[in-house]
Amino acid sequence: MTAVDGVQRTLEVALGERSYPILIGTGLVGRPDMLTPYLAGQQVMVVTNETIAPLYLERLCDSLPDDLEVRTLVLPDGEQYKTIEQVERIWSALLEAGFNRRCTLIALGGGVIGDMVGYAAAAYQRGVAFIQVPTTLLSQVDSSVGGKTGVNHPLGKNMIGAFWQPKAVLVDIDTLTTLPARELSAGLAEVIKYGFIRDETFLAWLEANMTALRRVEPEVIAEAIARSCLIKADIVTEDETEQGVRALLNLGHTFGHAIEAHQGYGNWLHGEAVGAGMAMAATLSHELGWISAADRERSLAVIKSADLPVHAPAGMSSDDFLARMRLDKKNIDTRLRLVLLEALGSACVSDAVPPDQLKTLLDQYPRR
Ligand SMILES: NC(=O)c1ccc[n+]([C@@H]2O[C@H](COP(=O)([O-])OP(=O)(O)OC[C@H]3O[C@@H](n4cnc5c(N)ncnc54)[C@H](O)[C@@H]3O)[C@@H](O)[C@H]2O)c1
Ligand SMILES: [Zn+2]
């Protein structure tokens, strides 16, 4: 990590010619020197949503040099608008403005905006530059890093997309001060996930600092974001297109996606479902004899301390779970593949869980 003036942390996602920096600090949105080095040419389009526009759009645009051609586009807020129709609006706006292949898109918002703008950039004139300015904790530690972009299809979440890396990721932690507490907790689920899969020391640090994290204390939150991005960047560098180790980032997600889909998207936030899903994965890992009872308890305690659920939803049967889990993208042929814990700080992908044991776990797991 190196220090750039006023930036608390700078990391790099090392992908050869497609390498890019993640700049983490306070007061970054609004600083003229933060975005300009990463612009491809004179044409810039900033895309955001109706919730974020009144908070940060003007400040961001004011920081861009006067001689640029700057356009803005404000989309509706919500996962239900993460669609090809909204991406088409971005493409239309770019074409109407006469933007060429040297234009730059800036995604100002959470994961929904980041994923859509990234995909718009990946396909516009076969690929133009884009910059991520993530404004939720989840997008700052997860979706803005790694180049997965895309939209939902009526038949499946994130089913249409592309790998397309940004030119830079600008994480201004001040934006978290306006983020609802529930969204902050949802982002903490992904932060905890990094500790579980790769770094027991980080997990212990999270346990010790959870109160400060939930208060968004700048030094502590910057440290958590940096350590999370470092782990994600490492994994992405190793396995950009998810042929292997990148699948570990799905800890808790096979259970979690089933919960989200069963409850109807938006009723449980993604991070909440992942919190419960990680608790289920820890429980299964314990029942397989991989982690101790004490480690299982410790896992549930850290999830709870972030104000995330560890129970499954009332009214969701084991068959409801299994039907959804069989659709998971990680599965190969008919075998269910799950990310489980070999220890706290070390995860693996396993297709060796006996179906009866999984069914028993799902039958007996506490509901609320
Ligand atoms: N590309 C990836 O690798 C990847 C990884 C994880 C998740 N995702 C995707 O990310 C999306 C979820 O992202 P998210 O959790 O950021 O949700 P989101 O983008 O819907 O943002 C959550 C809510 O917070 C609001 N918001 C955002 N920033 C704010 C701020 N600073 N102050 C106040 N309100 C603010 C948004 O308008 C929205 O209402 C999902 O679509 C998911 O599929 C992608
Ligand atoms: Zn996730």
Side-chain angles (χ1 to χ4, degrees):
M1 295 189 212
T2 54
V4 174
D5 181 33
V7 179
Q8 279 151 338
R9 307 276 193 293
T10 305
L11 319 176
E12 196 191 44
V13 184
L15 292 168
E17 282 180 359
R18 287 169 295 110
S19 297
Y20 53 95
I22 306 169
L23 308 161
I24 303 163
T26 54
L28 303 189
V29 169
R31 273 185 46 177
D33 54 331
M34 283 293 127
L35 291 167
T36 12
Y38 308 104
L39 301 174
Q42 296 298 107
Q43 299 174 318
V44 178
M45 183 168 293
V46 187
V47 183
T48 189
N49 75 23
E50 286 162 346
T51 305
I52 300 148
L55 297 169
Y56 305 109
L57 182 58
E58 193 178 310
R59 200 187 310 167
L60 187 143
C61 290
D62 284 351
S63 74
L64 293 166
D66 288 341
D67 57 343
L68 297 180
E69 190 183 345
V70 179
R71 307 283 170 131
T72 61
L73 182 63
V74 180
L75 301 177
D77 184 4
E79 182 76 34
Q80 70 272 33
Y81 297 107
K82 189 175 154 183
T83 60
I84 199 70
E85 285 80 17
Q86 297 301 321
V87 171
E88 190 157 9
R89 284 184 60 190
I90 303 176
W91 289 327
S92 299
L94 291 166
L95 287 167
E96 281 159 15
F99 272 30
N100 61 36
R101 296 180 69 179
R102 292 190 63 231
C103 70
T104 306
L105 304 193
I106 298 178
L108 173 67
V112 168
I113 286 291
D115 280 13
M116 280 200 290
V117 174
Y119 186 55
Y124 185 68
Q125 302 200 9
R126 299 195 182 79
V128 296
F130 91 111
I131 298 171
Q132 292 272 22
V133 186
T135 60
T136 62
L137 182 59
L138 182 137
S139 57
Q140 294 175 349
V141 299
D142 191 353
S143 61
S144 68
V145 176
K148 279 193 188 174
T149 72
V151 294
N152 300 329
H153 185 278
L155 297 179
K157 193 169 184 282
N158 292 331
M159 281 296 157
I160 310 299
F163 285 98
W164 191 247
Q165 303 291 344
K167 295 293 172 204
V169 182
L170 188 66
V171 177
D172 185 342
I173 56 186
D174 290 345
T175 59
L176 298 179
T177 56
T178 55
L179 190 69
R182 203 177 152 199
E183 296 286 352
L184 188 82
S185 287
L188 286 172
E190 307 287 359
V191 174
I192 293 167
K193 176 187 80 181
Y194 294 118
F196 278 141
I197 63 174
R198 269 267 163 131
D199 190 344
E200 197 271 334
T201 316
F202 182 39
L203 192 67
W205 182 88
L206 290 171
E207 290 169 327
N209 289 283
M210 194 54 80
T211 310
L213 287 166
R214 290 182 58 196
R215 283 200 210 115
V216 196
E217 288 180 15
E219 279 302 323
V220 182
I221 203 94
E223 176 71 12
I225 293 169
R227 288 173 80 162
S228 298
C229 288
L230 208 55
I231 294 173
K232 176 136 190 197
D234 245 19
I235 291 178
V236 167
T237 301
E238 233 176 280
D239 179 19
E240 188 181 2
T241 55
E242 196 163 325
Q243 311 299 315
V245 65
R246 192 164 178 171
L248 299 183
L249 295 170
N250 283 307
L251 176 70
H253 282 62
T254 308
F255 297 110
H257 286 150
I259 294 174
E260 274 184 281
H262 181 264
Q263 297 302 100
Y265 290 107
N267 290 319
W268 278 49
L269 296 181
H270 173 73
E272 292 169 340
V274 168
M278 291 192 297
M280 296 177 84
T283 303
L284 185 56
S285 306
H286 168 57
E287 287 181 4
L288 291 164
W290 297 5
I291 65 169
S292 67
D295 278 351
R296 176 192 175 266
E297 288 317 308
R298 188 178 159 201
S299 305
L300 268 59
V302 65
I303 296 166
K304 273 191 214 160
S305 73
D307 202 24
L308 292 163
V310 292
H311 54 270
M316 186 171 176
S317 70
S318 55
D319 287 337
D320 293 334
F321 267 103
L322 289 168
R324 307 271 182 188
M325 288 166 74
R326 286 199 189 97
L327 303 175
D328 191 80
K329 274 184 278 192
K330 279 187 303 305
N331 298 338
I332 295 173
D333 304 326
T334 55
R335 300 204 69 134
L336 206 56
R337 300 176 89 226
L338 290 169
V339 184
L340 295 172
L341 296 172
E342 298 167 313
L344 299 195
S346 170
C348 68
V349 181
S350 173
D351 64 0
V353 180
D356 290 355
Q357 196 165 1
L358 179 60
K359 169 96 169 114
T360 307
L361 172 98
L362 291 169
D363 281 334
Q364 293 175 352
Y365 198 83
R367 308 287 201 275
R368 195 186 291 158

